[in-house]
């Protein structure tokens, strides 16, 4: 039985590609050095796969930034404004990815979007009227030949034409207008690979796992009918991932490709589809049985049961998706052996594939099979001790635990009275600039270069300055500034029982940016108060309310590697109970307003609309409610989301039952505000009045106009005035100036309102 993977992480075992690329960006190294680094990494990774015994090794899964962008550039889908810069091909590529500002001109980057249901981001290909699609690049061919010269036969990988069109933006042109040229270009790629002697070409078509309309299906079939017509020797692998292909499976069986890649991990219905509709004898089934998204070892017994149900003679064992989404290797970690043996990062997943293949190849002797026995022992032993108390607490939760009393309207009138806030209350989202000094001081403390006491004193002085500034400019609801936090999830993970942190488990998020998600190892509970000391310290410095600042359970879960031995719902409820304790502790210590951030709530919304509620929102929203359901009527609960694309789940957002929600509003604000009205959205709202992602300082006049526009859509008693996200990535100077203008603008609008009401 053969093995393959869909793609391998390209950032390097020690993020070498990040280092090299950033050095090039800074102008510290040459293009040649960067190109060579890429070559060196590719060689290392190919050899690693070869040594691991993987039969079909991918190529062109490497990228200097993003493989979707690679495909666009290969096909000349480059907007004119970038071509006009007349940069070298590599610099044009980076300009598309990051924007360009310099002698040649000033252009913003292509929009970046989340890659399906992952935390990876791709660049949106942009077709415009002047676009002439044709094969202008050579990367896919060069990398195939490069490997061949090293004696390694590879399977080139490229984003498929259907998904390319589905992800692309069209400006002054349409999908139909571009289709012919796109098809011709893909045909040319196939022909060229044919002449180079390639045996397989993998066409990635993850868009097939989404809800498909009749038009989508027709488009797909048209594309593949054209693409596969005519003679060729290279075999085509139609690769899907991130779910099952229930809307098109039956049709796929008739498509003239030699291989079909299906996801048996996230694709809940994949097995059922194969069993119901069968699998044609003339195709190879690339079975995604090893999870490409999570870091746990594969349970061989379970996987073998799945494999048994598949057409054995036609199988290639594969991963559920590209290994891009997991870190490089466990070898780099300092976990004790008993812990480390439970993890399989990218490198370890390779041996899982070859071990599974070996086991299948000699089923008769399964019992003398050492890897299988070892694997079974691993899964039979108890990994993390169960917290019985917590389990019974969760089992005992009832409706009432998820419902705050009294209802919103009653709370809101009580809070109006007790909090004594003015109309159009002003506030911020929580963090203040994390200056170099703040980061350096935290680093010193972590290295034990300064004492805990000194660190504490430093943070207290930062908080005191922050409170003084907010009082001075007249903000109404203050924050302590979050100077003690490295990251909104890591900080909570570090202070909760049940999380593990890696040293080097980086995963690419976009371009050179990587994240290091915590691992949820066991049952989660609160070890000790987390934020109480900082919030109470800040509160005793002022008579104005200071908002307590927490990260919500859904976001903590979504930005971690989740457990596989219990459900995600169960894990989230555990986190929710831990955060609930923190909420009640803050309340008991006199904190009257508490914000619970759910920055990543939207991110894990299932790819299919039909799964949104049952699979996700039906437990995610209650988990949020559980966190705040027990607070007193006077305590005001805020939440924050970094985006405003929630028009389609507005009722779910309202059912979070927060008192106030702040969100990003710069782009789609006006239509969203209409939607809020149409849905009788009850929660008070703070649509961000300026964009914190840019250093630009908004003027008072501009902010007054923005607030007035908002007031045309929203009743004054529902509106809060705030920036659109936390200020931690901003510089101090622009932040102070912007906030001062914000409070002045709010004051001016308030005055105008009083004047108008007197006139009436
Ligand atoms: N409270 C957090 C902050 O202000 C929220 C961050 C976020 O929304 N991503 O930084
Ligand atoms: Zn935000």
């Amino acid at each position: 039985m053969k093995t393959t993977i869909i793609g391998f992480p390209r950032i390097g075992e020690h993020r070498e590609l990040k280092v090299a690329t950033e050095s090039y960006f800074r102008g510290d190294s040459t293009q040649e050095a960067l190109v060579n680094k890429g070559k060196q990494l590719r060689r290392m990774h190919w050899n690693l796969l070869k040594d691991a015994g993987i039969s079909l090794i991918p190529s062109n899964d490497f990228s200097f930034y993003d493989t979707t962008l690679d495909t666009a550039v290969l096909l000349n889908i480059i907007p004119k404004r970038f071509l006009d810069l007349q940069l070298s091909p590599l610099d044009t590529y980076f300009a598309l990815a990051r924007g360009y500002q310099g002698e040649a001109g000033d252009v913003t980057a292509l929009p970046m979007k989340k890659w399906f249901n992952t935390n990876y981001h791709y660049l949106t290909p942009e077709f415009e009227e002047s676009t002439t699609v044709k094969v202008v690049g050579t990367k896919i061919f060069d990398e195939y030949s490069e490997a061949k010269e090293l004696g390694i036969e590879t399977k080139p990988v490229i984003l498929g034409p259907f998904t390319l069109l589905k992800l692309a933006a069209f400006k002054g042109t349409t999908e139909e207008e571009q289709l012919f040229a796109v098809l011709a270009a893909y045909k040319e790629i196939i022909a060229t690979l044919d002449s180079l002697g390639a045996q397989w070409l993998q066409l990635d078509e993850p868009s097939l796992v989404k809800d498909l309309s009749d038009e989508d299906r027709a488009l797909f079939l048209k594309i593949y009918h054209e693409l596969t017509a005519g003679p060729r020797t290279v075999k085509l692998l139609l690769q899907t991932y991130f779910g099952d292909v229930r809307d098109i499976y039956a049709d796929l069986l008739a498509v003239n490709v030699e291989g079909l890649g299906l996801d048996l991990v996230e694709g809940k219905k994949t097995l059922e589809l194969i069993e119901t509709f069968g699998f044609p004898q003339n195709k190879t089934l690339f079975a995604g049985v090893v999870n490409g998204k999570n870091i746990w070892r594969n349970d061989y017994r379970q996987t073998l049961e799945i494999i048994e149900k598949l057409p054995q003679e036609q199988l290639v064992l594969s991963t559920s998706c590209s290994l891009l989404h997991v870190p490089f290797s466990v070898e780099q970690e300092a976990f004790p052996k008993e812990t480390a043996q439970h993890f399989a990062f990218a490198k370890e997943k390779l041996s899982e594939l070859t071990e599974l293949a070996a086991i299948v190849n000699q089923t008769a002797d399964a019992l003398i099979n050492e890897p299988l026995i070892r694997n079974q022992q691993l899964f039979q032993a108890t990994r993390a001790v169960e917290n019985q108390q917590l389990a019974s607490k969760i089992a005992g939760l009832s409706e009432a635990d998820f419902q705050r009393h009294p209802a919103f309207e009653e709370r809101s009138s009580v809070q109006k009275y007790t909090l004594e806030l003015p109309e159009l209350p002003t506030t911020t989202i929580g963090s203040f600039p994390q200056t170099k000094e703040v980061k350096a001081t935290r680093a010193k403390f972590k290295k034990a270069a300064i004492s805990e006491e000194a660190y504490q004193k430093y943070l207290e002085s930062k908080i005191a300055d922050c409170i003084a500034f907010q009082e001075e400019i007249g903000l109404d609801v203050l924050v302590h500034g979050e100077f003690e936090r490295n990251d909104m999830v890591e900080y909570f993970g570090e202070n909760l029982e049940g999380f593990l942190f890696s040293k080097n488990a980086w995963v690419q998020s976009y371009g050179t940016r990587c994240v290091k998600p915590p691992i949820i190892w066991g049952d989660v509970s609160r070890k000790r108060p987390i934020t109480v000391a900082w919030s109470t310290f800040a509160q005793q410095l002022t008579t104005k309310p200071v908002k307590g600042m927490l990260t919500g359970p859904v976001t903590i879960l979504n930005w971690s590697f989740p457990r596989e031995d219990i459900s995600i719902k169960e894990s989230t409820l555990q986190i929710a109970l831990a955060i609930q304790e923190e909420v009640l502790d803050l309340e008991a210590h006199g904190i009257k307003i508490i914000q619970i951030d759910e920055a990543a709530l939207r991110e894990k919304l299932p790819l299919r609309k039909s799964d949104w509620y049952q699979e996700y929102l039906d437990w995610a929203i209650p988990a949020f409610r559980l966190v705040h359901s027990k607070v007193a009527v006077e305590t005001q609960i805020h939440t924050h989301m970094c985006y405003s694309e929630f028009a389609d789940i507005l009722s779910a957002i309202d059912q979070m039952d927060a008192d106030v929600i702040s969100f990003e509003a710069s782009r789609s604000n006006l239509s969203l505000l209409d939607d809020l009205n149409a849905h009788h959205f009850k929660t008070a709202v703070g649509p961000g009045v300026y964009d914190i992602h840019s250093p630009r300082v908004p003027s008072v006049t501009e902010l007054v106009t923005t607030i007035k526009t908002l007031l045309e859509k929203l009743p004054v008693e529902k509106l809060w005035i705030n920036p659109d996200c936390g200020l931690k990535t901003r510089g101090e100077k622009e932040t102070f100036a912007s906030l001062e203008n914000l409070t002045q603008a709010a004051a001016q609008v308030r005055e105008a309102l009083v004047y108008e009401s007197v006139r009436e």
Side-chain angles (χ1 to χ4, degrees):
M1 183 158 305
K2 287 192 174 159
T3 54
T4 192
I5 61 168
I6 295 174
F8 195 71
R10 56 231 181 194
I11 204 78
E13 186 161 19
H14 300 281
R15 288 182 294 161
E16 294 92 327
L17 187 61
K18 172 191 173 72
V19 176
T21 313
E22 286 177 352
S23 154
Y24 175 67
F25 290 163
R26 280 194 310 269
D28 291 348
S29 60
T30 61
Q31 212 172 94
E32 197 191 351
L34 178 60
V35 169
N36 282 336
K37 184 48 118 189
K39 207 167 178 175
Q40 188 193 342
L41 281 169
R42 287 192 293 273
R43 190 181 59 224
M44 261 162 45
H45 298 166
W46 284 326
N47 279 322
L48 190 95
L49 275 106
K50 186 175 145 204
D51 293 345
I54 298 295
S55 349
L56 278 172
I57 296 173
S59 61
N60 200 39
D61 55 339
F62 174 85
S63 179
F64 278 119
Y65 209 93
D66 167 48
T67 48
T68 302
L69 179 61
D70 292 346
T71 309
V73 169
L74 172 73
L75 300 178
N76 202 31
I77 307 165
I78 305 173
K80 187 169 173 299
R81 59 186 186 278
F82 294 97
L83 294 171
D84 286 347
L85 296 171
Q86 304 209 334
L87 302 169
S88 72
L90 188 67
D91 286 342
T92 306
Y93 175 82
F94 284 134
L96 288 153
R98 313 169 64 228
Y100 178 90
Q101 200 164 29
E103 274 168 31
D106 186 352
V107 276
T108 52
L110 291 177
M112 197 162 69
K113 289 205 185 132
K114 262 189 193 296
W115 180 243
F116 297 83
N117 54 2
T118 72
N119 195 15
Y120 177 76
H121 302 70
Y122 69 94
L123 289 150
T124 313
E126 191 176 301
F127 289 86
E128 51 185 22
E129 214 181 332
S130 61
T131 306
T132 313
V133 179
K134 56 178 183 216
V135 184
V136 291
T138 54
K139 179 177 178 287
I140 185 169
F141 314 122
D142 296 346
E143 288 183 16
Y144 172 77
S145 305
E146 190 181 305
K148 203 161 194 164
E149 272 163 37
L150 296 167
I152 300 174
E153 173 64 32
T154 57
K155 163 193 71 168
V157 176
I158 190 173
L159 185 67
F162 176 72
T163 302
L164 172 76
L165 291 172
K166 289 290 120 189
L167 299 182
F170 295 87
K171 300 206 167 148
T173 180
T174 61
E175 195 175 88
E176 299 79 69
E177 278 172 10
Q178 300 293 334
L179 185 58
F180 183 77
V182 168
L183 276 170
Y186 273 90
K187 278 189 184 167
E188 188 182 328
I189 293 168
I190 293 173
T192 309
L193 286 171
D194 231 358
S195 68
L196 291 173
Q199 289 157 27
W200 280 99
L201 168 63
Q202 173 181 315
L203 295 152
D204 282 358
E205 294 287 12
S207 282
L208 290 181
V209 310
K210 297 184 71 165
D211 291 317
L212 299 179
S213 64
D214 290 344
E215 292 79 46
D216 290 334
R217 263 207 314 272
L219 174 69
F220 174 84
L221 293 171
K222 181 173 173 185
I223 291 174
Y224 275 80
H225 181 77
E226 294 272 321
L227 201 64
T228 57
R232 64 183 141 82
T233 48
V234 61
K235 290 183 267 188
L236 300 183
L237 160 58
L238 176 58
Q239 182 65 55
T240 67
Y241 41 84
F242 300 145
D244 59 63
V245 289
R246 68 187 80 154
D247 288 350
I248 198 160
Y249 181 77
D251 296 319
L252 291 187
L253 302 183
V255 172
N256 184 20
V257 292
E258 289 71 19
L260 195 54
L262 302 174
D263 176 353
L264 285 134
V265 176
E266 259 190 291
K268 285 171 301 189
K269 292 209 189 251
T270 303
L271 197 55
E272 188 187 316
L273 289 168
I274 297 173
E275 288 176 336
T276 313
F277 296 95
F279 193 85
Q281 279 177 353
N282 62 354
K283 287 194 195 347
T284 305
L285 171 57
F286 287 72
V289 290
V290 167
N291 193 341
K293 261 193 188 169
N294 211 341
I295 42 82
W296 302 98
R297 281 227 163 258
N298 185 282
D299 184 342
Y300 288 177
R301 206 180 36 83
Q302 268 183 21
T303 304
L304 292 169
E305 272 171 29
I306 296 174
I307 294 175
E308 233 166 67
K309 297 183 183 141
L310 304 172
Q312 305 288 314
E313 305 71 39
Q314 298 158 254
L315 273 194
V316 173
L317 295 188
S318 184
T319 50
S320 63
C321 62
S322 166
L323 296 177
L324 177 69
H325 309 292
V326 288
F328 199 95
S329 166
V330 188
E331 283 163 12
Q332 294 303 324
E333 301 299 331
F335 298 124
K337 194 170 160 278
E338 310 81 70
T339 310
Q341 63 180 348
H342 290 279
F343 299 139
F345 296 179
K347 190 172 169 188
E348 291 74 30
K349 285 179 195 290
L350 304 178
S351 16
E352 293 191 327
L353 284 167
T354 50
E355 282 182 4
L356 280 164
I359 296 168
V360 178
N361 287 344
Q362 44 154 11
T363 37
D365 264 342
L367 274 182
I368 55 154
N369 213 308
E370 205 244 309
L372 180 61
I373 295 169
R374 236 188 313 124
N375 186 273
Q376 283 184 334
Q377 279 167 351
L378 191 66
F379 280 89
Q380 274 155 13
T382 0
R383 185 173 54 79
V385 190
E386 196 191 353
N387 179 339
Q388 300 278 348
Q389 230 183 331
L390 181 59
S392 50
K393 199 167 169 187
I394 289 183
L397 289 173
S398 69
E399 284 283 289
D401 290 295
F402 296 93
Q403 194 56 57
R404 186 175 174 196
H405 289 292
F408 175 83
E409 287 72 20
E410 195 178 332
R411 291 183 333 242
S412 134
S413 56
V414 172
Q415 289 163 13
K416 194 143 274 167
Y417 175 74
T418 52
L419 288 170
E420 297 183 314
L421 295 171
E423 273 183 336
L424 304 176
T426 52
T427 191
T428 61
I429 307 304
S431 58
F432 265 65
Q434 290 247 339
T435 55
K436 277 205 180 96
E437 186 194 80
V438 172
K439 289 186 196 158
T441 313
R442 184 165 54 240
K444 275 193 210 154
F445 167 62
K446 292 223 160 158
K447 280 190 294 196
I450 56 166
S451 68
E452 176 154 13
E453 204 193 343
Y455 183 54
Q456 171 108 10
K457 280 266 138 5
Y458 172 75
L459 291 176
E460 285 178 358
S461 75
K462 289 299 294 180
I463 294 176
D465 291 349
C466 185
I467 295 286
F469 166 74
Q470 295 174 80
E471 285 204 305
E472 192 186 305
I473 62 163
L475 279 159
D476 300 306
V477 173
L478 314 191
V479 296
H480 76 284
E482 300 181 25
F483 301 108
E484 74 286 4
R485 300 183 193 178
N486 33 9
D487 168 277
M488 65 188 289
V489 168
E490 193 172 13
Y491 180 73
F492 285 88
E494 278 171 358
N495 287 287
L496 291 168
E497 192 73 47
F499 282 82
L500 284 185
F501 293 87
S502 60
K503 278 197 328 196
N504 190 49
W506 295 100
V507 178
Q508 191 175 11
S509 171
Y510 62 86
T512 60
R513 185 169 156 75
C514 301
V515 293
K516 197 153 60 69
I519 298 167
I520 306 181
W521 169 263
D523 289 339
V524 176
S525 58
R526 195 180 76 141
K527 290 191 262 199
R528 52 176 174 260
I530 305 170
T531 63
V532 179
W534 301 121
S535 287
T536 46
F537 175 80
Q539 183 63 84
Q540 49 88 25
L541 296 171
T542 173
T543 51
K544 290 200 169 166
V546 174
K547 251 194 303 194
M549 206 48 70
L550 305 174
T551 303
V554 185
T555 297
I556 293 182
L557 185 109
N558 283 351
W559 282 345
S560 304
F561 285 117
R563 288 167 69 173
E564 288 179 347
D565 57 335
I566 65 171
S567 70
I568 283 176
K569 172 183 171 184
E570 177 100 1
S571 240
T572 311
L573 288 177
Q574 293 181 352
I575 302 170
L577 285 172
I579 303 296
Q580 182 194 62
E581 280 179 35
E582 185 72 11
V583 166
L584 296 176
D585 213 351
L586 283 170
E587 184 182 53
H589 280 83
I591 303 300
K592 298 191 170 62
I593 303 183
I594 301 168
Q595 178 173 310
I596 307 158
D597 292 329
E598 282 293 16
L601 188 124
R602 160 102 214 185
E603 187 170 313
K604 287 282 151 73
L605 202 60
L607 294 175
R608 285 174 192 280
K609 264 194 177 158
S610 46
D611 291 339
W612 280 5
Y613 284 86
Q614 264 194 350
E615 299 276 323
Y616 185 67
L617 294 171
D618 285 352
W619 57 261
I621 303 295
F624 180 85
R625 283 207 306 265
L626 178 61
V627 174
H628 68 83
S629 62
K630 292 198 160 40
V631 297
V633 55
E634 297 86 2
T635 303
Q636 190 169 70
I637 298 294
H638 290 214
T639 188
H640 166 72
M641 290 174 185
C642 304
Y643 44 80
S644 52
E645 303 97 53
F646 48 72
D648 43 7
I649 51 167
L650 269 185
S651 67
I653 301 293
D654 218 13
Q655 279 162 25
M656 292 166 82
D657 204 20
D659 296 304
V660 181
I661 176 170
S662 61
F663 50 85
E664 178 259 311
S666 43
R667 280 170 294 261
S668 54
N669 52 355
L670 293 181
S671 68
L672 180 74
L673 299 181
D674 288 332
D675 292 333
L676 292 175
N677 288 330
H679 278 80
H680 307 287
F681 197 75
K682 69 172 199 297
T683 316
V685 293
V689 293
Y690 76 88
D691 175 14
I692 64 97
H693 305 90
S694 134
R696 203 177 151 267
V697 176
S699 69
V700 177
T701 332
E702 187 182 328
L703 288 164
V704 166
T705 313
T706 307
I707 298 171
K708 286 189 169 163
T709 320
L710 293 172
L711 279 172
E712 279 166 22
K713 300 274 180 183
L714 295 164
V716 65
E717 56 290 353
K718 278 233 177 288
L719 188 61
W720 282 66
I721 308 300
N722 47 258
D724 69 353
C725 195
L727 303 163
K728 65 175 168 238
T729 55
R730 286 271 65 85
E732 281 184 329
K733 210 169 142 213
E734 76 243 19
T735 299
F736 294 161
S738 301
L739 290 178
E740 205 168 341
N741 289 354
L742 178 145
T743 51
Q744 279 187 31
Q748 279 188 20
V749 179
R750 272 177 213 145
E751 259 170 49
L753 289 174
V754 173
Y755 177 69
E756 276 166 28
S757 71
V758 170
R759 277 211 321 193
E760 275 166 19

